[in-house]
Amino acid sequence: MSEHQQMTKTTPKDFLAATLGGLFAPGLTIFLIVMLFLGIQHNMGQTDPAPVAEKAVRERIQSFGQSQAIDPNVPKVELTGEQVYNEICAGCHASGALGSPKFKEKADWGKRISQSYPTLLDHALKGFNKMPARGGDPDLSDMEVARGVVYMTNAAGANFEPVLKKEVEPSAADLARGKTVYGENCASCHDTGVTGAQKLTDAKAWMPLIKEGKEFLYNAAINGSFGGPAKGGNVKLSDADTKLAVDYMVAEAKTAIAVAAKAPMKK
Ligand code: HEC
Ligand code: HEC
């Protein structure tokens, strides 16, 4: 007994250590449980990681994502001039902030309007002094910026149409050459729409493409894009001939669009 007593004889220091040790073990357990619980809560509070990853991917492919704008099944909702103005341009132009010409203020706009529409559009697209390119919104399409410019300038007395660069109409000779090139290199897909190519007479497919402008289509045809082979797969085809084929295709598509506009649209 005495031996036992000796062993358990506690000094205040031992007592303290034992108490702390005794408290520590359950304390650690409680701490871990709390952390686990918080961890679960934290994960639940966080949005599903899938959409986050998807967003990251979307951002990465954004420059290619423009093809969505020309996917006939997913028409991009284009803003009107008024919407573009209200959502983006008004930020400065409503008040004349940063020295911007104020909305409806003819004195502010007169001289600028006399610079001609193409210059104004160019400045709005590329930026001009403190005027940021596209009003600071890179997501605006060229056409949307053009509509914004027209909305503002017409409100100050101009009489512009929202058009992008004036396209030179191809000559009859160009179209004839284009038709030949098309027949030899492009018809195999675009006559029928095989492989997902836009059929030449498909007004609905070509309408949004034509709006993108000839430069865009030339680029797409020369470099290949979204499933279409570069130069229709014929590496020997010159850029010039490829462009003529595009000219021919656009002319044909425009005819198809005009016909479709007269007839009630088939669903
Ligand atoms: C952050 C402010 C800001 C926003 C937003 C903004 N602008 Fe401007 N804008 C300016 C300023 C400042 C000027 C005057 C630049 C100068 O003349 O030095 C200007 C000038 C212009 C001009 C005249 C250019 C010229 O050659 O005289 C046009 C056209 C224009 N803006 C169009 C737009 C359109 C369209 C939008 C919306 C899509 C827009 N702006 C949004 C600040 C802005
Ligand atoms: C092997 C089939 C094939 C041939 C041959 C072909 N294309 Fe295409 N083309 C496609 C496909 C597929 C697309 C893309 C459809 C899409 O965007 O979903 C396309 C799209 C296009 C577009 C629209 C651009 C775009 O972004 O969709 C143009 C313009 C075009 N082709 C021009 C040509 C020209 C010019 C030739 C001949 C020199 C040609 N293509 C030959 C399959 C073809």
Side-chain angles (χ1 to χ4, degrees):
M1 271 312 256
S2 68
E3 220 182 277
H4 179 76
Q5 262 183 339
Q6 245 186 343
M7 277 185 72
T8 55
K9 191 175 168 207
T10 47
T11 61
K13 212 168 136 198
D14 286 339
F15 177 76
L16 191 67
T19 313
L20 281 181
L23 278 178
F24 182 69
L28 182 68
T29 312
I30 290 168
F31 175 74
L32 287 177
I33 290 171
V34 168
M35 286 311 282
L36 182 71
F37 182 67
L38 285 179
I40 290 168
Q41 266 207 331
H42 180 67
N43 277 340
M44 288 203 321
Q46 228 171 32
T47 37
D48 204 33
V52 174
E54 197 189 312
K55 186 165 173 267
V57 169
R58 278 222 205 101
E59 274 165 7
R60 236 180 301 130
I61 63 168
Q62 206 158 42
S63 50
F64 306 101
Q66 294 216 344
S67 65
Q68 292 212 329
I70 53 169
D71 182 342
N73 298 315
V74 190
K76 178 180 186 252
V77 182
E78 288 262 329
L79 300 178
T80 65
E82 186 176 0
Q83 285 168 332
V84 171
Y85 170 74
N86 283 330
E87 285 181 23
I88 292 117
C89 322
C92 291
H93 287 274
S95 62
L98 302 179
S100 57
K102 204 172 159 187
F103 190 57
K104 283 192 173 164
E105 200 69 63
K106 289 194 178 161
D108 283 4
W109 280 102
K111 252 200 181 149
R112 294 177 189 273
I113 287 170
S114 62
Q115 292 181 108
S116 83
Y117 166 77
T119 304
L120 293 169
L121 176 61
D122 196 55
H123 287 167
L125 286 171
K126 294 182 187 151
F128 182 61
N129 298 329
K130 283 185 189 155
M131 159 75 200
R134 292 171 198 272
D137 183 348
D139 289 340
L140 284 183
S141 71
D142 288 6
M143 191 41 117
E144 285 172 322
V145 174
R147 291 195 193 119
V149 169
V150 167
Y151 182 76
M152 280 202 285
T153 48
N154 286 4
N159 187 17
F160 295 136
E161 287 270 349
V163 287
L164 300 177
K165 225 188 268 151
K166 263 264 181 341
E167 280 165 357
V168 190
E169 289 301 324
S171 68
D174 284 349
L175 285 179
R177 172 73 193 146
K179 187 174 180 177
T180 306
V181 176
Y182 171 83
E184 287 168 358
N185 300 282
C186 325
S188 57
C189 293
H190 287 280
D191 262 4
T192 56
V194 73
T195 73
Q198 297 89 352
K199 203 174 160 185
L200 204 50
T201 51
D202 185 346
K204 234 170 126 189
W206 282 96
M207 232 180 305
L209 284 173
I210 288 174
K211 271 195 197 148
E212 295 281 339
K214 280 257 179 84
E215 282 304 319
F216 170 86
L217 295 175
Y218 288 157
N219 248 320
I222 290 170
N223 301 314
S225 77
F226 316 120
K231 298 183 172 180
N234 178 0
V235 288
K236 289 193 190 133
L237 198 61
S238 69
D239 285 7
D241 270 351
T242 309
K243 286 183 181 182
L244 289 177
V246 171
D247 284 346
Y248 169 74
M249 290 167 87
V250 168
E252 289 294 299
K254 278 185 178 165
T255 308
I257 289 168
V259 170
K262 277 184 203 143
M265 270 272 207
K266 271 183 283 174
K267 282 230 167 151

